[in-house]
Amino acid sequence: MYLKKYLTEGLIQVAILLSLSGTRVDVGLEPGLLSPLHEMMLGPSAGITQTQFHNLWNHLEDGQPSHPKNVDLDGFTSRRLLGLVRSLDRLQVPNTELEAWLVHRVPDMLPGEHHGQPAPLERAHVRLEEDIAGPGLDPGDILRIQGENETGRDVHTEGGELDESPRPLSEWSQGSAWSNRSQQEETHRRVLSDHQMYSNSLDEEEGEMGDGAEEEEDQEEEPASRSGRERERRDSVSDRESAQNDEEQESLSLQECLRLLEHTFPLTHQPSEEILPAIGGAVDHEYLSAERGPLLSPLFPSEQPPLDLELQWEDLLEIMEPHGLDVSTRFPSYQDGPVQTPLDAAILSNYQSNSNSRNDNQMIYQDVHLMEAALPLGTISLHHPETRLLPLTPSTELDQHNMSLNLSEALENMDVNSSPRTPYHTNLISGDPLDDLNMGVDVEYGYTAFDMNPLTQDPEDNLITDNTSLGDPSNFDINFYPNDFTLASLTPQELSGANPNLPILPLSHLLVDDEEEGDYGLAGPLGDLLEDATILDEMSLLDLALEEGFSPEMAARLEEEGYLVPEQANRNTGPYDTVMPDNEEDDGGTSWSRMAQGSSRTLRQESGEKADSDSGLSLDCSFSPASPCGSESSCYSSSSSSSSSSSSVSSEGGLYSEENDQEDEEGEINLDMELEVTIKQEEEEGAVGGYYSSDVNKMVPSSYQEEKLFNGLPWQEHIGHDHSYNQAWPSTPTSVTGKTSKKKSKYSSRQSRTKSYSRSSAEQFVEAELWNRDDRRAQSLKIPFSNELIINLPVDDFNELLANHRLNEQQLNLVRDIRRRGKNKMAAQNCRRRKLGALQGLEVDVSGLRRRRAWLRREKQEALKSLQEMEQRLEGLYQEVMFSLRDEEGRPLDATDYALQFGANGSVTVTPRRQGTLPRGDSKAGKKHRDKK
DNA sequence: CGCTGCTGTCATGAG
DNA sequence: CGCTCATGACAGCAG
């Protein structure tokens, strides 16, 4: 508050100075004219800049690591959003901004029902008329007010300079000479119409639309109706003339008003104390000794520099905004306020906005509420540094389901599942407690220990749900999920304390998981534990493999460890490298059928599931090659060739599953893993598996069930999405290192892929055993390790791996290419994910800005109304003062014929109105009681 | 058949 | 200088 006051006062001083100097600062309608401060307030106009405005607002610190090269939105979308954002930059409360501010300030300063101060108003009038000053007044016409002698200021001088007597407010709004005012109003109207246009274009809420229309109407009606209102006021004042009893009260009110204004606007202008005695004897000079003259200049919006005002508004709003960003801190700071939840805040915001509350506190709350309202409900848990902006789309809420479900289930299962995995836990996720939670969730769904990584892979889900509002209890009812029995046990604190970055199980995953749970997940905790133990063994073996280069012995050991489920056991082949495509070709149909039996359903499920969750943006940092667990994960990923195949199946949709069913009828069962691989290939058009996959399977045994379990694996992401390179692999693999040749193979593979379906199953098996291009190449060159390993191993490990394996130049090149492409693939996925996230953030920002604009409009309307009231009061007070004055003959002065002028030196003079007097002749004194029209 | 979205890949630049 | 990452651009596939 103090800061706000300080800044605003300073700005007002500047504004007043500019107004006094006759400088007209136009509203910064041009975005380019906006000052850096303004840009800081609203954020960079270019939404694609690295710094997003939501970051500048210090709210919704999105969880993504702010990349130095932030998302660069391209295309129409970015332009559209940018246009919206830029348009919002033009959301300036033009001329009445300061008015609005003052209107809010004044009531605060005027606890009582005080009327405005005529003196400053008149002074402002004088200032306004300086530019159009006509011939100097006859000194004889200048009436010196009592107290003039005190200061010894020569009123004549100023009167001569100023010549023009203040106009009545009616004239003030009408006179052609008031070009400034007219321009201002015109500008204002223009801006309003602009706002209206934007309102229409942005398809705002009806309430906003109504506001805009109303606002415009108000603006148009204002100038015309003002004169009428002023006349009415004058009449009322003249009526009161008979009741002199009220004069003293008015004077007192004026005194207090001036006093408060003085405190608020300590300026450099010399006080005009002369009027005080005239106004009322009770007036204390002490309070009016300073700067009363310019006090009212702020009341004249036409004289205010709109740019500063805009900045000031922005400043005011922005100062208060950050408070509304952090729920955890904000609400405590406003405990005395009604705000309890963002929803409440939004409601209260609307309510308060409509209730025309005008004191500062209310303003603050309005701002806070507004900002909260501007935030989607899903973005409540902003207290976490990595919280993200959430879209307003329903998907957010759906994802919140995931979040809450994950957390709750994780919490529920943590104690149960953590023990078997303790070593793994400590190794992999010691840094992040929530990973444990996530693991718990994974276990709950029968996923293997590595599933938690996969679960984190869904990029969109991460984007949307990473930072769902954990801290908001209101979300829980929304997040309640049928199978989530632990939500009730979760306290908001627990959830809020959880790491928002906890990977969220996508809704699709949940749904599928539910189904799968019926199939597999019901195995019970024992099965989970066994699986965990198996996974742990597998992981240890993989670690060893990483260190020792993944020798075939280790792969064999992994097989022997028996961590494979019975289904998997069938798939395990003997020594790595023993599987030959020919065998697959022979047994392809049988293995295919077997696989179909075991996993056809799973495949279908996965296909659907992947259809939902397969965003392609699934890469997650958890499996970063550089990370300690990256190698492990890579091992697992590499081992989970089946998972990749499953993902591929998913990408390929139900077509293959249907084929699987058909093949399944053949009923021939072959335990050969290669056959299985062949099946996969046939299912997935050779996307995964095959000869090379057998190696992978050796390293890390996998089954279709495991595929299911692993379907969230990061590797699965890229592998599974590699739908474009499922092609028939030449029976005689040829090493292709050149890019052109790669492309050729790639494209030809696609063509062959389409052909493969028309071919005989044997041919399909021959050609469909291949994965993607790199996999095939690796297979052809007999690269002794998986592509996943190649891609995801840290550099050192990778080099070590290469060193451990004597590879020829071709192999080395291929391995490097595989690594490069794989990493680039992940990078591309991350990039796209970030881009989407940025887009969503922009959308959220736009929505927030819209709300803010609506709020500002309402504020402006209120301010206008208040201003009108103030003007009325000022007019009344002015009349009162005039009536309290007497001319040389002791007759009251007619306010229509005389005007109060306030000199720069603080002197106050009563000057006749030229326009008023001229037509009326010299009836200044005699027509004091003349009715106004 | 065209459009759109997704994905992988390449080229390029920056760190 | 090499590696990694990010990103634009391109192309193919699927819906």
Side-chain angles (χ1 to χ4, degrees), chain A residues 240-312:
Chain A
R240 281 184 298 170
E241 193 174 21
S242 60
Q244 295 294 329
N245 299 338
D246 299 338
E247 180 176 347
E248 188 170 353
Q249 290 181 350
E250 289 292 334
S251 299
L252 291 173
S253 302
L254 177 63
Q255 177 187 356
E256 276 192 46
C257 183
L258 293 175
R259 187 185 310 167
L260 292 170
L261 285 173
E262 174 186 351
H263 287 298
T264 306
F265 305 112
L267 295 177
T268 58
H269 297 282
Q270 293 301 320
S272 56
E273 301 173 356
E274 294 83 351
I275 193 173
L276 298 178
I279 293 171
V283 174
D284 189 350
H285 294 259
E286 181 179 354
Y287 293 100
L288 300 174
S289 60
E291 310 83 297
R292 188 165 13 88
L295 294 184
L296 270 202
S297 52
L299 292 174
F300 288 83
S302 62
E303 292 302 315
Q304 301 310 314
L307 182 59
D308 288 342
L309 296 181
E310 178 180 349
L311 293 176
Q312 176 178 327

Side-chain angles (χ1 to χ4, degrees), chain A residues 126-197:
Chain A
V126 171
R127 288 300 172 187
L128 287 172
E129 292 177 352
E130 283 181 2
D131 295 340
I132 56 173
L137 290 174
D138 183 357
D141 293 338
I142 299 173
L143 298 178
R144 296 176 183 250
I145 303 175
Q146 297 177 6
E148 176 182 354
N149 295 333
E150 294 178 3
T151 58
R153 297 185 183 92
D154 186 3
V155 196
H156 292 263
T157 304
E158 186 167 354
E161 291 174 352
L162 297 181
D163 152 55
E164 291 289 339
S165 60
R167 299 184 179 192
L169 289 175
S170 59
E171 295 178 6
W172 177 70
S173 62
Q174 289 177 337
S176 60
W178 301 79
S179 58
N180 284 347
R181 173 63 181 179
S182 300
Q183 292 176 2
Q184 295 278 336
E185 290 181 353
E186 182 178 340
T187 302
H188 193 173
R189 241 177 266 116
R190 189 172 66 247
V191 173
L192 289 174
S193 62
D194 187 34
H195 286 183
Q196 187 66 14
M197 288 176 58

Side-chain angles (χ1 to χ4, degrees), chain A residues 398-414 434 436-442 444-445 455-456 461-462 465 468 470 479 481 483-484 486-487 490 495 498 502-507 509-510 513:
Chain A
L398 294 177
D399 291 331
Q400 289 177 2
H401 287 268
N402 300 337
M403 187 61 175
S404 61
L405 177 60
N406 288 334
L407 288 174
S408 61
E409 290 184 358
L411 291 174
E412 182 184 78
N413 298 323
M414 239 174 80
L434 276 193
D436 292 280
L437 298 179
N438 194 23
M439 291 181 70
V441 175
D442 296 338
E444 175 68 10
Y445 287 94
L455 290 176
T456 66
D461 287 310
N462 287 339
T465 63
T468 52
L470 297 176
N479 293 331
Y481 199 74
N483 66 348
D484 185 5
T486 60
L487 280 178
L490 291 176
L495 293 178
L502 174 66
I504 306 305
L505 186 63
L507 181 59
H509 281 284
L510 285 177
D513 289 342

Side-chain angles (χ1 to χ4, degrees), chain A residues 510-574:
Chain A
L510 285 177
L511 296 175
V512 174
D513 289 342
D514 292 339
E515 295 175 1
E516 291 176 352
E517 190 170 356
D519 297 338
Y520 307 96
L522 294 179
L526 182 58
D528 292 340
L529 292 174
L530 290 175
E531 246 180 16
D532 293 341
T534 300
I535 291 164
L536 288 174
D537 294 340
E538 178 184 3
M539 293 179 66
S540 61
L541 288 175
L542 290 173
D543 291 337
L544 289 173
L546 285 175
E547 294 178 357
E548 300 176 1
F550 251 123
S551 63
E553 293 77 6
M554 297 196 62
R557 180 186 171 187
L558 286 173
E559 287 181 272
E560 295 173 359
E561 290 299 331
Y563 75 94
L564 296 174
V565 297
E567 258 186 298
Q568 299 165 349
N570 297 338
R571 305 173 59 182
N572 287 336
T573 60

